[in-house]
Amino acid sequence: MASIAENLKEVLERISAAARKSGRSGADVRLVAVSKTHPASVIMEAYQAGHKIFGENYAQELKEKSAQLPQDIEWHFIGALQTNKVKMVIDKTAMIHSLDRVSLAQEIEKRATKPVPVLIEVNLAGEETKSGVAPNEVERLIESVRNFTKIEVMGLMTMPPFFDDPEMARPYFARLRELRDELAKNTGLKLHELSMGMSGDFETAVEEGATIVRVGTAIFGERRGKRG
Ligand SMILES: *Cc1c(COP(=O)(O)O)cnc(C)c1O
């Protein structure tokens, strides 16, 4: 089996190749290594291979692991965030990918000690099992939070329906980019960031304009246990 360092190198090379296809460079795309369910020792292996950006889905896990690991790690919160867990993670989080309601923004506004970059999670396919706001409600959410002093809306995040063939996900990635362009025009905000693409489809996402990909399995291997 390949080591985490080798997996990381390969994922970064694949990101670069896909970025070049869309006229960009690998440096235009940030890799969030999704470490949910994996212990701190495994994250440390990736850190020692030079990687500093990790994504977690559960507040308790982020809190515990960030306490055990180097301070210069950039933690991204990518899972559904319960309002009562905000205070547990807010000062450890470089970016929240899953803003989906005003009440969550209000709690962040109340608890954060400095401005927090956030992405609005969009549920493009209207799947009931997934969180995220409907495409036609994103603008209203942005307008509701844009004057908050601790919320910086940097862009959009999505998780398309699962397909075996990444080409099937391409229209969703293209749609998120188009929605971003539309919202940037309507709101006057830059909304630069597009967080889209996972282990099975990150190259397609990069070709369609992803600025952040969230990759777990292709770096750390299969997750065990019921979560994730
Ligand atoms: C688990 C997870 C990922 C990573 O998924 P892989 O298929 O393991 O790469 C990315 N984004 C979110 C929101 C996740 O929950």
Side-chain angles (χ1 to χ4, degrees):
M1 238 177 73
S3 71
I4 287 173
E6 286 164 339
N7 290 344
L8 260 171
K9 185 162 173 279
E10 194 198 315
V11 168
L12 287 167
E13 283 168 4
R14 287 168 59 191
I15 290 170
S16 286
R20 284 193 298 272
K21 267 191 166 179
S22 66
R24 298 185 297 156
S25 96
D28 298 326
V29 182
R30 267 190 288 178
L31 170 61
V32 173
V34 177
S35 48
K36 63 181 173 212
T37 77
H38 295 291
S41 57
V42 166
I43 300 175
M44 198 58 200
E45 234 182 291
Y47 179 86
Q48 278 163 345
H51 200 73
K52 300 273 168 70
I53 311 176
F54 296 91
E56 288 284 342
N57 290 57
Y58 308 102
Q60 187 67 34
E61 267 193 73
L62 172 53
K63 184 184 167 187
E64 286 167 11
K65 292 176 192 175
S66 63
Q68 298 169 47
L69 286 157
Q71 293 298 309
D72 64 339
I73 286 181
E74 186 182 313
W75 295 101
H76 288 229
F77 197 89
I78 64 171
L81 183 51
Q82 288 170 262
T83 307
N84 63 359
K85 301 278 172 67
V86 167
K87 61 177 180 295
M88 195 185 274
V89 296
I90 195 66
D91 286 333
K92 301 164 183 78
T93 310
M95 183 179 275
I96 294 173
H97 291 227
S98 48
L99 185 70
D100 60 357
R101 59 198 188 277
V102 176
S103 60
L104 178 58
Q106 285 166 335
E107 181 69 8
I108 294 169
E109 181 76 2
K110 185 165 141 197
R111 302 285 179 182
T113 55
K114 56 178 191 304
V116 187
V118 306
L119 307 177
I120 311 274
E121 181 172 355
V122 186
N123 188 342
L124 288 173
E127 292 172 284
E128 278 178 25
T129 55
K130 284 204 182 123
S131 41
V133 290
N136 63 357
E137 281 166 13
V138 180
E139 186 168 341
R140 188 163 16 148
L141 179 55
I142 292 176
E143 292 300 345
S144 304
V145 305
R146 68 179 297 169
N147 292 325
F148 286 25
T149 58
K150 307 282 175 46
I151 300 272
E152 289 179 336
V153 182
M154 308 298 287
L156 307 178
M157 179 272 224
T158 200
M159 224 171 141
F162 178 79
F163 301 107
D164 283 324
D165 176 3
E167 280 309 313
M168 300 285 287
R170 188 183 294 276
Y172 293 91
F173 298 142
R175 178 71 191 110
L176 195 72
R177 171 173 34 80
E178 289 159 10
L179 180 62
R180 186 276 309 278
D181 293 348
E182 214 173 291
L183 290 164
K185 198 165 106 233
N186 293 352
T187 64
L189 296 172
K190 275 171 75 181
L191 306 176
H192 174 73
E193 306 287 357
L194 289 175
S195 169
M196 54 190 197
M198 307 179 11
S199 290
D201 55 20
F202 66 87
E203 287 151 304
T204 311
V206 169
E207 287 168 24
E208 294 298 333
T211 60
I212 303 176
V213 293
R214 310 177 310 268
V215 179
T217 310
I219 297 169
F220 298 113
E222 294 290 338
R223 287 179 289 275
R224 269 173 289 164
K226 58 184 186 328
R227 278 178 154 188

